[in-house]
Amino acid sequence: MSAPENTFDLCVVGAGAAGMTAALVGAKLGLSVILLEKTQTVGGTMSTSAGTVWVPGSSVAQEAGMPNTLDDAVRYLAASAPVADRSLQDTYLRTGDEAVNFLQDNTHVRFLPPARHPDYQSALPHATAGGRALTAVPFDGRRLGRHFARLRPPIKEFMVLGGMMVGKDDIPPLLAPFASYANFRHVIRLLLRHGRDRLFHPRGTRLVMGSALAGRLLLSLLEAGVTIRFGVNCSSLVTEGERVTGIECNADGVEQVIHARRGTVLATGGFSGDQSRRASLVDPQLRSYTLAAPGNTGDGLRLAERVGAQFDGEHDNRAYWMPASIMMQPDGTQSVFPHIMLDRAKPGLIAVGSDGRRFVNEADSYHDFVLAMLANAPRTSPAWLICDSDFLSSYGLGMIYPKSGRRKLKKLLKNGYLASAEKLGDLAHAIGVDATGLSESVTLHNRDSEAGVDSAFGKGSTIYNRHNGDPRRTPNPCLRPIVKAPFFALPVYPADFATSTGIATDSDGRVLNIEGVAIPGLFACGNDMASIMRGRSPGPGVTLGPALIFGYRAARFMANAAAN
Ligand SMILES: Cc1cc2nc3c(=O)[nH]c(=O)nc-3n(C[C@H](O)[C@H](O)[C@H](O)COP(=O)(O)OP(=O)(O)OC[C@H]3O[C@@H](n4cnc5c(N)ncnc54)[C@H](O)[C@@H]3O)c2cc1C
């Protein structure tokens, strides 16, 4: 017999993007909700993400003067993320605006469309340059009071001055504080706020991107009275006949059963950290990394499979990828830095394989970049980002900030983060790359840069490419000759930030068994649910978007279902 305080309408496993949303929506619709989290903090990978959701046709965009239609989005998806059965994608598109409005009207979650945030396949018909991508509005972590400590911190490498978050809009003023009065004022405000924060908090409390979204969800959950338990270890789902009625877990060192009258939601963030299932993602010979939260070890998938759930494993790609550079820290830990949009598209950088040859349009999306890497033999080598000293000082590279001093560079060269040489041939030799290939690649790239047209891969040919280039460089914001010694090379490896394959569900997140029939009382969302894009990445926000929208739908389904 378990105590009545362990009986809820809704039990959610995993306090990341999908789980926090499902729990919050359930509570707002009148359900009693418990949220079980394995680690000591909420937020999961969402906390370290850019916090962008891809929601076509939203009223938020309409009100900001960036209208875009669902019909166009349907056509765009058909070309950029084609799937045999479009029903889940259609449900996603139809529910997006409703889910965003529900969160904005009933909770502290707020979104805004950045003025420009192009779809990733921007050369395809019906792509947009902005309006579909919405980002979380910055959040003041002080509003969480003592619960601020329960929010998973952002990636250390994305913070400066011992814990100040830097959003995309902060970067230009920070790089050129004296370029205008507005820049100067922005920087002074950031610094004053951060200085004050550090008197009272271990890190900055001005939260942006995914951290802001997680903070907004946490504040809303606390106010909605959702019970949150930390350090919970779930062992198995409880069933009565076909129906899942709760979960067995160890919480606070005590074995217990949580009963869920309406349903149990699995939202444990996919299987990035499950080494055996991970072997299905990449050639085990290939050195690969993960950017997902350390708690995401595939628990939800295992729990579901044990009660007969269907694993949907045949996707175009089984994970979502970013190229990442790796730095060994003095304490022996490794920093994994994702190259999302700050360096690859800028003019004066190429990526080559061990043959010294380019294999990709470097300015394409992070996911497409890695897919090209994986297709480029030999699969066991990293790709090398090659640039000259002008590039490094103008734009930085990975963990190297622009205008980094000689001392900092010397340190990074010494610890092996990057390599450098006065001549390209010596650089090729130092990194074990074919020297003739590298020399020919740079020669062709430099000739194309003068003409402004990348004849090999079309770098700078799309709206998305140019968005991340340097607008001061004409005619092509993504091309500039690589000429000024010393030359630099930085190795990048595939790092997944989300898994795509997962549990098969219907359009309300109900888990399907191997016959395709819903298992009563069991739901999955976020990366535990098989991605509706099936490993394609049509635009910014295609894992957080579905996490929120199917989290919303699952909770709404349970709220509408008769109690039993
Ligand atoms: C640098 C970076 C940038 C990104 N930017 C974006 C972006 O802008 N847009 C986008 O769409 N995606 C982005 N992503 C990916 C996105 O953050 C994830 O896909 C998303 O957070 C997945 O949501 P989730 O709820 O499935 O998992 P998570 O948010 O990772 O949450 C899972 C939670 O479940 C917990 N958990 C795991 N196992 C258990 C268990 N057994 N019991 C209880 N709790 C458990 C985990 O500890 C974690 O707290 C980015 C990722 C990275 C790394």
Side-chain angles (χ1 to χ4, degrees):
M1 277 277 289
S2 73
E5 67 264 23
N6 274 349
T7 301
F8 296 83
D9 292 323
L10 167 55
C11 170
V12 180
V13 188
M20 291 173 87
T21 305
L24 180 57
V25 173
K28 285 290 168 186
L29 293 176
L31 303 181
S32 60
V33 183
I34 185 166
L35 177 57
L36 306 177
E37 169 55 43
K38 175 163 136 179
T39 66
Q40 294 299 330
T41 53
V42 301
T45 315
M46 164 178 53
S47 282
T48 59
S49 76
T52 305
V53 292
W54 196 74
V55 183
S58 70
S59 343
V60 179
Q62 170 94 23
E63 281 153 23
M66 304 172 78
N68 59 93
T69 69
L70 287 186
D71 284 348
D72 276 347
V74 169
R75 291 189 196 105
Y76 174 66
L77 273 189
S80 60
V83 288
D85 175 0
R86 286 190 6 196
S87 58
L88 288 179
Q89 286 186 352
D90 286 346
T91 302
Y92 173 67
L93 293 178
R94 268 190 293 107
T95 318
D97 185 44
E98 179 189 326
V100 167
N101 290 342
F102 181 93
L103 290 169
Q104 300 224 126
D105 293 346
N106 296 285
T107 78
H108 293 288
V109 174
R110 297 285 179 279
F111 290 107
L112 273 179
R116 244 178 125 70
H117 208 333
D119 290 326
Y120 290 162
Q121 310 298 335
S122 62
L124 289 177
H126 308 291
T128 60
R132 289 177 181 155
L134 309 178
T135 51
V137 172
F139 176 69
D140 187 343
R142 292 174 299 192
R143 293 172 70 188
L144 290 168
R146 68 188 165 84
H147 301 285
F148 180 59
R150 287 293 192 183
L151 203 58
R152 181 166 182 248
I155 301 178
K156 202 168 69 227
E157 290 72 28
F158 279 9
M159 298 191 285
V160 296
L161 302 175
M164 183 174 94
M165 282 202 83
V166 176
K168 286 176 196 163
D169 294 343
D170 302 325
I171 295 170
L174 281 170
L175 288 180
F178 302 113
S180 68
Y181 177 63
N183 278 13
F184 183 69
R185 198 177 55 181
H186 188 91
V187 171
I188 292 295
R189 278 192 178 154
L190 285 181
L191 295 180
L192 286 177
R193 163 72 186 269
H194 186 62
R196 207 167 52 219
D197 270 354
R198 288 311 308 272
L199 293 176
F200 305 103
H201 303 280
R203 63 183 166 97
T205 59
R206 176 184 169 269
L207 307 182
V208 295
M209 304 187 290
S211 197
L213 180 56
R216 288 179 174 279
L217 284 165
L218 178 57
L219 180 62
S220 309
L221 285 164
L222 294 167
E223 286 183 2
V226 169
T227 303
I228 308 178
R229 292 208 189 134
F230 294 92
V232 178
N233 197 350
C234 296
S235 46
S236 59
L237 292 163
V238 177
T239 52
E240 282 175 28
E242 298 278 280
R243 187 177 179 83
V244 171
T245 57
I247 193 155
E248 272 181 21
C249 59
N250 184 310
D252 305 323
V254 181
E255 296 295 332
Q256 47 193 287
V257 174
I258 309 285
H259 297 281
R261 284 184 287 248
R262 304 279 177 107
T264 300
V265 177
L266 300 173
T268 68
F271 64 93
S272 300
D274 173 349
Q275 292 312 323
S276 64
R277 214 184 286 259
R278 196 177 167 78
S280 73
L281 295 184
V282 281
D283 184 334
Q285 295 289 309
L286 179 72
R287 207 165 131 191
S288 75
Y289 294 84
T290 186
L291 290 153
N296 299 5
T297 52
D299 299 348
L301 276 60
R302 277 191 296 276
L303 289 166
E305 280 176 329
R306 274 191 239 131
V307 295
Q310 183 190 137
F311 181 73
D312 180 357
E314 289 312 313
H315 289 197
D316 292 338
N317 304 291
R318 292 177 182 163
Y320 292 97
W321 299 100
M322 289 171 177
S325 52
I326 312 299
M327 189 178 325
M328 287 307 293
Q329 297 295 351
D331 63 3
T333 57
Q334 276 180 338
S335 298
V336 182
F337 184 92
H339 293 245
I340 304 175
M341 38 70 79
L342 292 179
D343 49 25
R344 288 178 296 109
K346 295 287 187 292
L349 174 146
I350 58 169
V352 299
S354 55
D355 56 2
R357 312 268 168 200
R358 291 176 67 206
F359 58 90
V360 70
N361 175 342
E362 294 83 354
D364 277 352
S365 82
Y366 37 84
H367 183 59
D368 288 340
F369 182 99
V370 175
L371 293 184
M373 248 178 107
L374 295 176
N376 186 47
R379 295 170 61 104
T380 47
S381 311
W384 294 91
L385 303 183
I386 307 285
C387 67
D388 66 8
S389 56
D390 273 348
F391 182 96
L392 208 61
S393 118
S394 306
Y395 309 116
L397 185 65
M399 286 183 244
I400 307 157
Y401 299 139
K403 303 186 178 73
S404 284
R406 286 166 68 115
R407 256 184 60 201
K408 165 103 183 169
L409 277 184
K410 247 175 119 173
K411 207 173 119 196
L412 295 173
L413 288 165
K414 196 166 161 220
N415 81 4
Y417 179 62
L418 86 163
S420 160
E422 287 297 317
K423 290 188 180 141
L424 278 172
D426 293 342
L427 185 66
H429 184 69
I431 61 177
V433 154
D434 184 84
T436 311
L438 181 62
S439 160
E440 287 177 6
S441 300
V442 171
T443 303
L444 178 60
H445 166 267
N446 288 355
R447 205 167 54 221
D448 283 353
S449 296
E450 298 294 357
V453 178
D454 173 15
S455 60
F457 291 96
K459 189 178 181 195
S461 62
T462 70
I463 291 173
Y464 176 72
N465 284 182
R466 291 194 289 276
H467 173 67
N468 290 325
D470 181 348
R472 294 166 302 182
R473 177 81 194 166
T474 55
N476 187 330
C478 303
L479 294 183
R480 179 171 84 178
I482 298 170
V483 281
K484 186 157 173 218
F487 301 98
F488 295 90
L490 178 74
V492 288
Y493 299 86
D496 79 281
F497 63 94
T499 43
S500 175
T501 51
I503 303 167
T505 70
D506 72 4
S507 59
D508 288 311
R510 293 191 297 166
V511 170
L512 303 178
N513 68 15
I514 41 181
E515 276 92 40
V517 178
I519 299 174
L522 188 61
F523 297 77
C525 49
N527 296 337
D528 279 358
M529 169 185 171
S531 166
I532 61 165
M533 303 300 176
R534 304 187 79 77
R536 299 285 194 107
S537 180
V542 296
T543 66
L544 283 176
L548 264 56
I549 288 166
F550 287 99
Y552 166 81
R553 284 189 68 90
R556 194 185 61 176
F557 181 91
M558 279 176 271
N560 290 338
N564 53 22

